């Protein structure tokens, strides 16, 4: 029987790649994100190519009511979630603290921290009841160190690291695994979102070096969710070879 994975942010990047790899590896999938059309396309593709079952839930994780309604709409057989991938997240803007846009800060905090909490609060009681489950939070190198002009994004990902540790402590007695994955630069829609649609600026981020690709992270997640029951990978920091820390990227001339 397939296990059920709930993936937030499955419309693009790391979440989409994770859905594709888990769909090929005996998982049925709950695919979430705001862009419903993309979720429906992905759902059709995965069902056709892998024969897995999928369920689409389109909602904004910043909106607590919409999140509640999405969960309420899940049929009972889909509520027994084995793996939760808390992936949806974003960076918006790149400014020093005294020039930052407060609306950008709120979007990052509401998505990366509060959204992750709403989802976890919904999914974790079922895991406790069944004494099994695995929660994987997608953090970042920004959760390990701060970098110039990114203090609020970095703070939000430091919060993800702290929440991962705290959740693991709370849930250990229920046999639930809690992990985090902290990637360096991954070429996805991330920078287009950060620069508010400016594709040229986004492309510059990845100029002159080989970044990670979403599939690199998805393969890591597959490894984590297929360890034996007694093994938990607490935390993985995964970087491009050309990136030594956030702002130390070796670019070819
Ligand atoms: N790319 C990197 O360099 C990098 C590095 C370290 C960590 N990360 C982290 O990796 C995670 C995935 O990012 P990515 O690189 O794959 O970026 P991406 O391609 O922009 O994908 C982000 C995903 O999050 C979803 N999302 C964003 N806001 C949402 C909201 N309010 N409600 C529901 N879904 C929302 C998006 O879906 P919709 O737009 O359809 O809602 C999309 O599916 C994020 O947590 C990010 O912080 C990325």
């Amino acid at each position: 029987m397939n296990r059920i994975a709930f993936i937030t942010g499955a419309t693009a990047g790391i979440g989409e790649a994770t859905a594709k790899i888990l769909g090929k590896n005996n998982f049925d999938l709950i695919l979430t994100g705001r862009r419903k059309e993309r979720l429906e396309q992905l759902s059709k593709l995965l069902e056709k190519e892998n024969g897995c079952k999928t369920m689409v839930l389109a909602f904004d994780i910043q909106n607590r009511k919409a999140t509640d309604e999405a969960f309420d709409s899940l049929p009972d057989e889909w509520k027994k979630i084995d793996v939760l991938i808390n992936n949806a997240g974003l960076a918006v803007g790149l400014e020093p603290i005294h020039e930052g846009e407060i609306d950008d800060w709120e979007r990052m905090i509401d998505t990366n921290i509060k959204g992750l909490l709403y989802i976890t609060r919904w999914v974790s009681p079922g895991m406790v009841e069944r004494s099994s489950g695995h929660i994987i939070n997608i953090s970042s190198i920004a959760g390990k160190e701060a970098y110039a002009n990114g203090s609020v994004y970095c703070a939000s990902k430091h919060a993800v690291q702290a929440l991962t540790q705290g959740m693991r402590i709370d849930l250990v007695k229920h046999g639930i695994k809690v992990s985090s994955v902290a990637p360096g630069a991954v070429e996805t829609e991330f920078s287009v979102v950060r620069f508010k649609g400016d594709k040229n600026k986004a492309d510059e981020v990845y100029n002159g070096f080989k970044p990670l690709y979403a599939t690199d992270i998805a393969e890591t997640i597959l490894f984590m969710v297929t360890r034996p029951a007694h093994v938990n990978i607490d935390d993985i920091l995964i970087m491009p070879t050309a990136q030594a820390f956030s702002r130390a990227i070796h670019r070819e001339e």
Side-chain angles (χ1 to χ4, degrees), residues 20-38:
K20 287 181 175 165
I21 207 162
L22 294 188
K24 279 193 198 123
N25 285 278
N26 306 318
F27 279 89
D28 291 331
L29 302 163
I30 302 168
L31 306 167
T32 79
R34 288 165 300 183
R35 287 170 287 178
K36 192 171 182 194
E37 217 169 276
R38 284 204 189 190

Side-chain angles (χ1 to χ4, degrees), residues 148-168:
N149 304 329
S151 55
V152 176
Y153 178 65
C154 293
S156 75
K157 291 297 182 177
H158 275 67
V160 172
Q161 289 289 152
L163 285 168
T164 304
Q165 213 178 358
M167 286 178 194
R168 191 159 50 236

Side-chain angles (χ1 to χ4, degrees), residues 8-15 32-35 59-62 87-91 111-112 138-141 153 157 182-190 193 206:
T8 67
T11 57
I14 295 168
T32 79
R34 288 165 300 183
R35 287 170 287 178
F59 63 98
D60 184 339
I61 60 166
Q62 296 173 93
N87 163 74
L90 76 181
T111 310
N112 301 354
I138 306 303
S139 168
S140 169
I141 178 66
Y153 178 65
K157 291 297 182 177
V186 192
E187 191 168 8
T188 61
E189 293 177 10
F190 180 82
V193 172
Y206 310 107

Side-chain angles (χ1 to χ4, degrees), residues 38-161:
R38 284 204 189 190
L39 292 173
E40 281 169 350
Q41 276 169 7
L42 180 64
S43 153
K44 269 192 208 134
L45 178 88
L46 295 177
E47 292 196 352
K48 189 166 155 233
E49 289 193 347
N50 307 319
C52 62
K53 289 193 207 125
T54 64
M55 168 67 62
V56 163
L57 291 180
F59 63 98
D60 184 339
I61 60 166
Q62 296 173 93
N63 183 330
R64 184 171 159 190
K65 189 163 168 276
T67 306
D68 285 352
E69 285 167 2
F71 273 93
D72 284 340
S73 75
L74 265 184
D76 282 347
E77 67 270 24
W78 280 98
K79 285 187 174 146
K80 293 182 181 145
I81 294 157
D82 298 291
V83 171
L84 166 62
I85 315 283
N86 272 321
N87 163 74
L90 76 181
V92 204
L94 196 63
E95 283 106 17
I97 196 74
H98 60 289
E99 290 172 4
E101 297 273 349
I102 291 179
D103 284 349
D104 293 349
W105 296 354
E106 284 181 342
R107 273 182 74 194
M108 289 187 274
I109 290 166
D110 290 351
T111 310
N112 301 354
I113 306 176
K114 289 169 70 181
L116 180 148
L117 284 170
Y118 299 155
I119 303 283
T120 305
R121 184 63 183 85
W122 255 105
V123 175
S124 55
M127 291 181 167
V128 168
E129 219 169 87
R130 294 185 300 280
S131 299
S132 82
H134 193 168
I135 299 172
I136 299 186
N137 297 325
I138 306 303
S139 168
S140 169
I141 178 66
K144 309 280 184 183
E145 61 189 30
Y147 55 76
N149 304 329
S151 55
V152 176
Y153 178 65
C154 293
S156 75
K157 291 297 182 177
H158 275 67
V160 172
Q161 289 289 152

